[in-house]
């Protein structure tokens, strides 16, 4: 949840965080100059709200695709599956 994320990051919760696509003209989506393009999510203006299904979409991907540094971060954060992948690799294998 957004509230849980705020607590984890030690940030104050603001109800507007639940509506990231509201009032798009007030969002910082354009580049620094008129010649630079949009930065970030190129489909930003197509979204209507937060899609909760996306939160768990990462679970459909294999941790075998992650680099060694990414797997080490996952291990430090307590993701047991990532630890298993690291321990199954041969030395020098990515």
């Amino acid at each position: 949840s957004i509230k849980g994320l705020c607590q984890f990051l030690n940030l104050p919760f603001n109800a507007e965080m639940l509506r990231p696509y509201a009032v798009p003209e007030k969002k910082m989506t354009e580049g620094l100059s008129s010649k630079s393009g949009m930065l970030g999510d190129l489909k930003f203006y197509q979204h209507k709200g937060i899609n909760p299904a996306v939160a768990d979409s990462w679970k459909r991907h294999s941790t075998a695709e992650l680099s060694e540094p990414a797997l080490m971060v996952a291990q430090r954060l307590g993701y047991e599956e990532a630890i298993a992948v690291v321990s199954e690799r041969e030395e020098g294998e990515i």
Side-chain angles (χ1 to χ4, degrees):
S1 75
I2 298 295
K3 286 183 180 180
L5 178 62
C6 287
Q7 288 174 342
F8 175 77
L9 297 173
N10 198 26
L11 296 172
F13 171 76
N14 183 313
E16 288 300 307
M17 293 175 174
L18 299 173
R19 302 172 3 129
Y21 305 107
V23 196
E25 58 275 4
K26 289 190 174 184
K27 306 298 181 193
M28 295 174 33
T29 57
E30 302 303 323
L32 295 175
S33 73
S34 60
K35 293 181 182 180
S36 59
M38 179 182 181
L39 304 172
D41 184 355
L42 299 176
K43 295 183 180 180
F44 177 84
Y45 295 106
Q46 295 176 1
H47 300 297
K48 301 297 180 213
I50 296 173
N51 180 354
V54 175
D56 293 325
S57 65
W58 63 272
K59 293 178 181 179
R60 294 190 303 266
H61 301 282
S62 169
T63 55
E65 299 171 13
L66 297 175
S67 67
E68 190 73 23
L71 287 168
M72 299 317 285
V73 169
Q75 180 181 10
R76 284 188 212 130
L77 293 174
Y79 291 93
E80 298 299 323
E81 182 181 340
I83 296 168
V85 170
V86 171
S87 64
E88 293 172 7
R89 289 184 176 173
E90 297 292 325
E91 188 167 332
E93 181 184 4
I94 295 178

